[in-house]
Amino acid sequence: MTRVLVLHSANLVRSALTALLRAEATFDVSSAGWRTAKRHAESLRPDVCVVDVDCPEAAAVLAGEEGRRHRDLLGRSPALLVLAHAGSPGALRKAFAAKARGYVDKDGSPGRLVRAIQRVAEGERFVDASLASAFLEVDQMPLSPREHSVLARAAEGDSIAEIARALHLASGTVRNYMAAVTRKTGARNRVDAIRISRRSGWV
């Protein structure tokens, strides 16, 4: 029996996915919203966790170095399977960084999702062919680790002074890093750099 946990912010979508997967006799399926995700994960101990990358809260699962937040949120790390559109290369990059093992196109058939869960539960990787080209579109981040740290703080709304204090840098150094970020991303200004970086999945 494969234990599956479906995470989604929309109750109707979550219920529909759960009903679909429960029709598969070899699946033991539970679902949860994001607020109760960790509690459900700890009690169910799922083999596979299904996450829609278009949910705003999915960042809590997909973000973080080496999938750290994925582990923090779900406790024991189940195999991660994401639902995505081919038009979201940035989200796919984040899922890949979080070590997701399955990638299913949301425009695909229900049978594809079932097969993907089965494959992922067996320790294999599953990538829908329709999403393969999207991986090729994922831009390589042109920023250095320090530039990325400054950009991430700026994207959260921190001022130059706040970024400087948090990263133990001089304010002038932070401005220089932001200027480099703006140049490397081809942006017009700081706000445009954040917009471009979010679209590309860098922050």
Side-chain angles (χ1 to χ4, degrees):
M1 186 70 74
T2 299
R3 295 182 298 275
V4 181
L5 175 62
V6 176
L7 292 180
H8 205 287
S9 55
N11 182 60
L12 184 60
V13 176
R14 188 168 68 240
S15 299
L17 285 171
T18 301
L20 166 69
L21 296 175
R22 281 179 177 165
E24 186 65 27
T26 59
F27 289 170
D28 178 8
V29 186
S30 294
S31 66
W34 295 94
R35 291 182 181 177
T36 59
K38 187 171 184 177
R39 184 171 75 245
H40 278 76
E42 289 173 344
S43 61
L44 176 63
R45 296 183 64 81
D47 300 300
V48 179
C49 180
V50 178
V51 175
D52 185 339
V53 296
D54 289 328
C55 289
E57 300 90 343
V61 172
L62 301 181
E65 183 179 0
E66 298 293 329
R68 175 178 53 81
R69 293 187 190 175
H70 166 209
R71 293 192 294 273
D72 289 348
L73 179 61
L74 299 178
R76 183 186 74 90
S77 293
L80 186 63
L81 184 150
V82 298
L83 308 177
H85 283 301
S88 304
L92 287 172
R93 187 194 68 80
K94 288 183 178 179
F96 184 79
K99 301 187 182 300
R101 298 197 60 81
Y103 304 82
V104 177
D105 192 335
K106 291 197 287 187
D107 289 325
S109 68
R112 294 289 289 173
L113 175 57
V114 170
R115 286 194 293 276
I117 292 173
Q118 292 169 336
R119 293 268 297 276
V120 168
E122 291 169 359
E124 300 178 30
R125 186 176 295 277
F126 183 96
V127 181
D128 256 332
S130 54
L131 296 179
S133 60
F135 276 101
L136 300 178
E137 297 174 15
V138 175
D139 297 329
Q140 292 296 318
M141 185 174 67
L143 308 179
S144 69
R146 179 59 82 183
E147 289 164 351
H148 181 259
S149 296
V150 169
L151 174 64
R153 291 276 180 175
E156 292 174 3
D158 288 1
S159 66
I160 294 294
E162 289 169 334
I163 296 171
R165 283 195 298 272
L167 300 181
H168 307 290
L169 299 170
S171 294
T173 302
V174 172
R175 290 190 183 91
N176 289 339
Y177 278 128
M178 279 306 307
V181 167
T182 301
R183 183 181 69 255
K184 289 183 177 181
T185 57
R188 297 185 301 275
N189 50 44
R190 172 177 170 173
V191 173
D192 194 36
I194 293 171
R195 179 189 62 79
I196 291 171
S197 299
R198 282 177 171 159
R199 184 187 64 199
S200 299
W202 300 334
V203 293

